[in-house]
Amino acid sequence: MGLYSPPKSEAEFQKNFGQKKPLMNQTEAFYESSRCLFCYDAPCMNACPTHIDVPLFIKQIHTGNVIGAAETIFEANWLGNACGVVCPTTELCEGSCVYDNQHVPVIQIGRLQNFATSKAMAEDAKLFSAGESNGKKVAIIGAGPAGLSCACELRTLGYEVDIFEAKSKPSGLTVYGIAPYKITNEEVLDEIDYLQKQLGFTIHYNTAITTKAQLENLENNYDAIFLGVGIGATRQLGLEGEDKEGVIGAVEFIEELRMKHHEVQVPENVVVIGGGNTAIDAASESAKMGAKQVSLVYRRDRERMGAYNFEYDFAISTGVDSVFNATPVEILGNGKATGVKFIKTEVVDGKLSNIEGSEFLIECNLVIKATGQAKQGAFLSLIDDLELDKKSRITVHPETYQTTNPKYFAGGDAVNGGAEVVNGAYEGKMAARGMHGMLVDS
Amino acid sequence: MPDLSINFAGIKSPNPFWLASAPPTNSGYQVMKAFEAGWGGAVWKTLGVPVINVSSRYGSVNYRGTRMAGFNNIELITDRTLSDNLKEIEEVKKYFPDHAVIASLMVESKKEWEQIIKDAENAGADGLELNFGCPHGMCERGMGSAVGQEPEVLKTIVTWAKEFATVPVITKLTPNISHIIDPGLAAVEGGTDALSLINTIKSIVGIDLDSYAPYPVVDGKGTNGGYCGPAVKPIALEMVKELAKHVQIKDTPISGIGGIESWRDVVEFILLGAGSVQVCTAVMHYGFDIVREMEKGLTRFMLDKGYETIEDFRGKALPNVTEWKHLNLKYKVIAEIDESKCIGCDLCYIACDDGAHQAIAIPGNGKGRIPEIIEENCVGCNLCSLVCPVEECITMVRKDDGSASKTWDERTIAGTIPMTFDDERAGGNGHFVPSVADALKHKK
Ligand SMILES: Cc1cc2nc3c(=O)[nH]c(=O)nc-3n(C[C@H](O)[C@H](O)[C@H](O)COP(=O)(O)OP(=O)(O)OC[C@H]3O[C@@H](n4cnc5c(N)ncnc54)[C@H](O)[C@@H]3O)c2cc1C
Ligand SMILES: Cc1cc2nc3c(=O)[nH]c(=O)nc-3n(C[C@H](O)[C@H](O)[C@H](O)COP(=O)(O)O)c2cc1C
Ligand code: SF4
Ligand code: SF4
Ligand code: SF4
């Protein structure tokens, strides 16, 4: 087993993590764009959460107006470059391309999108500028996709924008969470840099907002506040042995991987617990880091997995083994994890239950828990009158994204409970318009 | 932001994008929908004594994966009553007073022209277009291209129209003639305010192999149709250029028509002198929404080049369209292959070896497929760069030093052109030509 050897240099890391959707060359873009039918009321456009005018931008690529295509994309989606390669396109735009109805390969919309925006970024094409100042100020907490998108939109509407970000880099989970074979750190940061140069919002890095006093300060100094804080760290499982060395949350594991690349050591045997996209990513990434045996263990069956099919198939292609219908009982080891004891499960009367006496052991030196992230409940409770739903998601108005505290708006994972970059981009933009409606248009 | 608005022979329009007189302008519903989508003007489907159309009206040329690369039709002028059309023109003008609505007209007698012009003006038309173009059906009755092909008749009708009209008169020309200047000049002499072209080209797009009849087949028979769509653009561009360069015609505004589908096409027509453009087939293929691609592309072009209005670049290519005899015979380009891009299809090789000048070599014998240009044999014809399927893989690189220029005209004056059949000054003299027997090497 083990399709990859552990990368010992940045070059080897890049080789193992080769881009799944590499940049198109001009010839590819020419032929691919020539195939688009320019459908009426295009299904691809309707399937995009940000409603990018797909047939228009593809036609623009084909007629040599590539920069114009980039403009069409960014007008709808401020993170259009990243989205081109990180969006689950087979579930969204490409999944609804009409070619599929006749089993003709669908248009590679994501890569065409990334082709156009990459060109605009490489040429530093000036497509946008800040709107005339309206004298209003907005504070944004969190420089993830939602916060950044909100910032861009607000700047075009003439607001002064300050973003407060706990970390030292912008773009949240796009740079700290998404699998490295989807996008490189440089490409993520280039897009933010490109937008920031044109629109001029301020990001205060290493500035976590954590206290009531800080929040009051923002409330006093800004006309509105946007919460783009995402969701939190990996949730504790409450398992025996969970505190052993070699047990790590998936989000934390991936973050370290994204920041340190080949310097991260992944042992030969890895167990990943969970059935969502994050679990799948952690498993594929472990395999690409050279682990010989990666076991992805999910407590239900294949059909109930939350992960997208294409992600699961990809994990299998990297050499990951999957184990279904098993749930962890205990993490074994003397200080350091050496294995996980599982018990088999079955569904009885619609309820998942353990099969007595069916315990089994998988040996490993690294246990990655991908069993969901804790929400930002504690922090959010510092804000007066802010209503959260049962799953600790911030309650917002469906169009304006205003929270139950009228000064606060919110979007992204903190509101949708954990979706995709494209949803954060859309919700941040809509919240900006919601604020504008409240502060200026009314 | 650049200003796209135009004043075309006195007809004001928010942009140069007009719908050509054709099915997309059949009704007020369509024209309104088009204006909402962003079109600046519309030439109404030709008015006259209403016709009866056949069923099975269009045929097309599909080239490889591309449908309707060429399109043909055997439809006639409007089949709706004049009063219905006029009522709708009036209504559209109420909603869109600043958009251009032009009534296309085709009737026979002077009396009819007088009447229909008055009616169209009363309905609020901003201009009139005289349809002397239709190459099927109507011409059999002495109208359409039958008029367009007879400069004297055309001139007379233009004179009538000018006599009755108070709004600008545009004369729409047929390309089914050998010399576009003849009808163009006749129209100008008749006093036309503007010209538009081209109407459709007489055509047969194909034959049905079961019924042995031309498309579109009407109950086992067919007739010649009018050809349009992307395939006709080169012909339209050339004719627009002819008129725009002619001393007696060049001051008459020209509306360019024929194969326009994207912003690039629009820019090309304007560079050759067109003051507005008209579109039919592309709208029939994709709907009114395509105007957004045109509008965005034109705007970007103008921003990139620093143009503020359409007039800033209208006709800018005209000085560079010259006669063959004024082209520099010393100019020399040679094909260059970017090996890193080449995919080894060897289309360039076979194109050059069989169809040009045997100036490309391939390794052969299983030693790879990357071709090589034999510089001394290459005449710089461009063929390989045109057949190469890879973007920017074969480029034509200038090899002369750019200092000397010698045209055919200059050589004629200098007396250095070939004069006799075996003149040593033959351009190809000294060029490499393989020996005849070399062809046998390829025998299978
Ligand atoms: C492992 C993993 C893989 C993923 N893969 C994909 C994928 O392939 N494609 C895709 O489209 N999406 C993917 N996603 C989802 C996507 O990354 C998120 O939906 C998106 O980043 C959410 O954006 P956001 O702005 O709401 O939150 P985040 O990206 O989480 O950004 C929140 C930001 O707020 C900051 N912050 C939080 N609290 C505070 C505070 N109190 N003060 C200051 N700053 C604060 C954080 O540091 C962070 O920068 C993945 C997610 C994960 C976890
Ligand atoms: C179906 C059809 C009907 C047309 N009817 C008219 C007409 O009534 N009057 C007219 O002046 N031109 C008519 N035309 C010609 C168009 O206005 C236009 O000149 C021609 O189609 C070239 O433009 P295109 O390549 O954009 O289609 C017709 C064209 C088509 C395809
Ligand atoms: S559905 Fe497919 S073919 Fe149709 S417009 Fe979208 S990408 Fe083009
Ligand atoms: S396009 Fe419309 S009118 Fe024409 S044949 Fe099809 S359905 Fe009938
Ligand atoms: S046509 Fe282009 S791609 Fe094909 S062999 Fe020649 S240079 Fe290579």
Side-chain angles (χ1 to χ4, degrees):
Chain A
M1 277 307 294
L3 299 175
Y4 299 87
S5 12
K8 291 194 195 59
S9 62
E10 178 62 21
E12 286 179 19
F13 178 86
Q14 293 301 347
K15 192 160 161 258
N16 284 10
F17 285 86
Q19 296 297 298
K20 261 176 89 180
K21 292 189 178 174
L23 183 62
M24 271 187 175
N25 61 45
Q26 229 182 310
T27 302
E28 267 180 297
F30 177 77
Y31 287 115
E32 192 61 5
S33 61
S34 76
R35 293 204 304 127
C36 174
L37 301 168
F38 203 77
C39 295
Y40 170 67
D41 194 19
C44 51
M45 168 168 155
N46 293 324
C48 170
T50 61
H51 287 282
I52 295 179
D53 194 334
V54 175
L56 176 63
F57 91 68
I58 295 182
K59 194 161 187 111
Q60 288 176 306
I61 290 176
H62 196 67
T63 59
N65 184 8
V66 181
I67 299 301
E71 189 174 17
T72 302
I73 294 159
F74 284 126
E75 270 171 2
N77 179 347
W78 291 111
L79 299 167
N81 184 68
C83 281
V85 284
V86 309
C87 270
T89 48
T90 51
E91 305 291 323
L92 301 171
C93 53
E94 292 172 16
S96 62
C97 177
V98 297
Y99 272 120
D100 198 38
N101 296 333
Q102 283 220 311
H103 311 296
V104 174
V106 298
I107 305 287
Q108 297 183 47
I109 301 169
R111 289 183 68 210
L112 282 169
Q113 179 174 318
N114 184 259
F115 170 81
T117 49
S118 293
K119 184 171 162 89
M121 283 158 54
E123 291 181 7
D124 207 6
K126 301 266 173 297
L127 296 176
F128 302 98
S129 56
E132 202 185 317
S133 169
N134 61 22
K136 308 246 188 245
K137 287 168 71 180
V138 174
I140 292 177
I141 308 179
L148 290 166
S149 170
C150 184
C152 290
E153 191 75 10
L154 285 170
R155 287 297 292 146
T156 63
L157 295 168
Y159 292 79
E160 201 178 302
V161 177
D162 280 305
I163 309 184
F164 300 92
E165 168 56 52
K167 304 210 163 163
S168 59
K169 288 191 175 71
S171 84
L173 286 171
T174 316
V175 79
Y176 291 107
I178 288 174
Y181 43 77
K182 290 189 184 160
I183 193 165
T184 64
N185 294 4
E186 293 73 42
E187 189 171 354
V188 177
L189 300 178
D190 277 355
E191 183 170 26
I192 311 309
D193 189 47
Y194 172 71
L195 295 169
Q196 200 175 4
K197 266 193 283 183
Q198 294 178 68
L199 293 165
F201 43 85
T202 311
I203 310 181
H204 306 272
Y205 292 110
N206 305 309
T207 311
I209 305 296
T210 50
T211 66
K212 181 93 185 154
Q214 281 176 308
L215 285 167
E216 276 167 4
N217 193 18
L218 296 182
E219 286 167 17
N220 293 335
N221 288 303
Y222 293 88
D223 297 286
I225 301 167
F226 177 79
L227 298 166
V229 293
I231 40 183
T234 305
R235 195 188 299 135
Q236 286 294 98
L237 279 172
L239 271 188
E240 206 171 312
E242 199 173 348
D243 53 353
K244 289 195 184 5
E245 201 181 313
V247 181
I248 188 171
V251 181
E252 293 73 17
F253 168 75
I254 295 168
E255 176 170 343
E256 198 187 351
L257 186 75
R258 285 222 57 142
M259 292 306 115
K260 299 198 185 143
H261 288 185
H262 64 281
E263 287 157 23
V264 174
Q265 304 280 328
V266 173
E268 289 195 354
N269 295 313
V270 178
V271 162
V272 181
I273 304 169
N277 288 316
T278 301
I280 295 270
D281 279 6
S284 306
E285 289 162 40
S286 300
K288 282 179 175 280
M289 285 302 285
K292 288 212 164 62
Q293 172 70 43
V294 180
S295 310
L296 174 71
V297 188
Y298 178 50
R299 63 198 171 113
R300 295 176 182 272
D301 60 15
R302 166 90 177 78
E303 281 65 49
R304 302 291 291 271
M305 251 186 153
Y308 295 126
N309 285 333
F310 77 91
E311 296 283 28
Y312 177 75
D313 294 344
F314 181 75
I316 298 302
S317 79
T318 63
V320 169
D321 276 343
S322 46
V323 179
F324 293 106
N325 303 311
T327 191
V329 185
E330 185 186 353
I331 294 171
L332 307 169
N334 192 358
K336 276 187 182 175
T338 56
V340 184
K341 192 204 276 177
F342 289 95
I343 186 164
K344 290 193 176 158
T345 63
E346 63 182 348
V347 178
V348 180
D349 297 334
K351 269 191 73 183
L352 193 72
S353 56
N354 298 344
I355 304 173
E356 228 163 287
S358 68
E359 286 90 347
F360 64 98
L361 172 74
I362 301 179
E363 286 181 13
C364 67
N365 321 100
L366 179 66
V367 181
I368 303 177
K369 299 178 293 177
T371 44
Q373 287 155 262
K375 301 295 188 300
Q376 301 271 30
F379 166 68
L380 296 174
S381 68
L382 297 175
I383 300 167
D384 296 333
D385 304 325
L386 189 80
E387 189 185 298
L388 306 183
D389 71 5
K390 281 195 232 82
K391 293 180 171 168
S392 294
R393 296 177 298 201
I394 305 171
T395 307
V396 293
H397 183 277
E399 275 145 38
T400 62
Y401 290 81
Q402 190 170 31
T403 69
T404 46
N405 176 332
K407 187 121 193 175
Y408 286 85
F409 290 71
D413 281 0
V415 166
N416 60 41
E420 313 293 336
V421 171
V422 66
N423 304 96
Y426 176 71
E427 292 167 16
K429 180 177 82 176
M430 294 313 282
R433 293 187 185 167
M435 285 179 189
H436 191 54
M438 175 182 86
L439 295 172
V440 170
D441 270 359
S442 58
Chain B
M1 266 296 158
D3 175 11
L4 300 189
S5 70
I6 54 163
N7 182 338
F8 181 87
I11 303 170
K12 294 206 178 81
S13 170
N15 61 46
F17 314 120
W18 292 358
L19 292 172
S21 173
T25 59
N26 253 335
S27 66
Y29 163 81
Q30 288 164 291
V31 172
M32 292 266 288
K33 206 174 155 196
F35 287 171
E36 287 288 351
W39 293 87
V43 186
W44 210 272
K45 174 73 188 170
T46 303
L47 308 175
V49 179
V51 300
I52 300 167
N53 275 310
V54 293
S55 193
S56 180
R57 303 175 184 182
Y58 310 141
S60 85
V61 170
N62 301 335
Y63 187 71
R64 297 265 184 82
T66 304
R67 291 190 173 261
M68 282 167 66
F71 184 58
N72 104 336
N73 84 91
I74 54 171
E75 239 173 50
L76 308 177
I77 64 169
T78 187
D79 59 4
R80 307 177 65 216
T81 64
L82 185 62
S83 56
D84 281 353
N85 277 305
L86 294 173
K87 214 165 55 214
E88 291 176 16
I89 291 177
E90 208 173 322
E91 219 173 321
V92 170
K93 276 310 291 184
K94 267 196 210 119
Y95 282 99
F96 288 96
D98 300 327
H99 283 55
V101 175
I102 292 135
S104 169
L105 309 173
M106 187 198 287
V107 287
E108 283 189 85
S109 69
K110 185 168 181 181
K111 230 175 122 230
E112 281 174 327
W113 279 107
E114 178 172 19
Q115 186 60 48
I116 204 164
I117 287 172
K118 238 187 231 133
D119 288 347
E121 289 193 355
N122 284 338
D126 302 296
L128 308 171
E129 188 177 82
L130 315 182
N131 177 357
F132 298 142
C134 188
H136 48 267
M138 301 311 291
C139 56
E140 295 169 15
R141 300 178 215 164
M143 291 181 279
S145 63
V147 175
Q149 289 163 337
E150 291 298 337
E152 277 313 307
V153 184
L154 180 148
K155 185 163 142 188
T156 308
I157 300 180
V158 173
T159 322
W160 295 345
K162 279 304 290 175
E163 191 183 323
F164 307 130
T166 62
V167 296
V169 171
I170 306 168
T171 304
K172 183 168 180 178
L173 303 179
T174 174
N176 298 299
I177 38 95
S178 46
H179 202 194
I180 195 67
I181 295 300
D182 299 342
L185 200 54
V188 170
E189 285 166 2
T192 195
D193 297 294
L195 296 164
S196 61
L197 75 169
I198 57 174
N199 209 307
T200 53
I201 303 170
K202 225 171 170 170
S203 64
I204 287 178
V205 287
I207 302 285
D208 182 275
L209 299 189
D210 294 318
S211 65
Y212 304 101
Y215 296 118
V217 182
V218 183
D219 195 17
K221 293 211 162 21
T223 183
N224 75 272
Y227 199 47
C228 52
V232 310
K233 186 182 87 171
I235 296 159
L237 283 175
E238 203 282 333
M239 289 187 165
V240 166
K241 177 271 302 180
E242 278 288 288
L243 298 175
K245 277 187 88 82
H246 192 275
V247 270
Q248 285 158 279
I249 305 174
K250 66 180 174 31
D251 295 327
T252 307
I254 299 170
S255 187
I257 318 169
I260 295 169
E261 181 175 311
S262 83
W263 71 273
R264 252 198 105 89
D265 306 323
V266 173
V267 169
E268 287 168 357
F269 273 92
I270 296 173
L271 288 172
L272 287 176
S276 79
V277 294
Q278 300 184 26
V279 180
C280 161
T281 303
V283 167
M284 292 184 71
H285 197 161
Y286 299 111
F288 297 127
D289 245 19
I290 53 151
V291 74
R292 290 184 309 134
E293 187 274 342
M294 294 182 189
E295 193 254 343
K296 282 175 183 281
L298 177 61
T299 305
R300 178 133 302 278
F301 169 81
M302 291 172 69
L303 277 173
D304 286 352
K305 302 276 183 184
Y307 298 133
E308 275 154 26
T309 69
I310 302 288
E311 282 306 304
D312 290 353
F313 65 102
R314 191 172 66 79
K316 216 173 159 66
L318 286 172
N320 296 329
V321 191
T322 179
E323 284 174 278
W324 190 92
K325 66 181 181 201
H326 298 309
L327 300 178
N328 181 6
L329 292 169
K330 292 246 170 189
Y331 178 73
K332 173 84 201 228
V333 289
I334 278 183
E336 201 170 277
I337 296 174
D338 182 342
E339 289 184 10
S340 69
K341 290 193 172 139
C342 172
I343 57 174
C345 66
D346 288 349
L347 284 171
C348 57
Y349 164 76
I350 204 64
C352 188
D353 213 63
D354 288 4
H357 297 273
Q358 301 81 42
I360 300 182
I362 42 173
N365 297 328
K367 287 197 220 101
R369 295 180 59 92
I370 309 257
E372 202 182 325
I373 303 290
I374 306 162
E375 281 210 18
E376 54 281 22
N377 296 3
C378 175
V379 302
C381 71
N382 294 346
L383 181 64
C384 56
S385 73
L386 300 177
V387 301
C388 179
V390 180
E391 295 294 290
E392 285 168 19
C393 173
I394 302 187
T395 44
M396 303 304 298
V397 182
R398 186 162 187 176
K399 287 289 157 139
D400 69 294
D401 62 6
S403 56
S405 163
K406 199 98 196 206
T407 65
W408 179 263
D409 214 25
E410 287 160 350
R411 284 188 69 153
T412 308
I413 294 164
T416 60
I417 56 168
M419 307 286 273
T420 59
F421 289 144
D422 289 324
D423 199 314
E424 303 228 312
R425 290 167 297 193
N429 213 11
H431 263 304
F432 170 78
V433 177
S435 78
V436 176
D438 277 356
L440 299 177
K441 285 194 301 202
H442 301 279
K443 205 169 143 188
K444 295 211 170 107

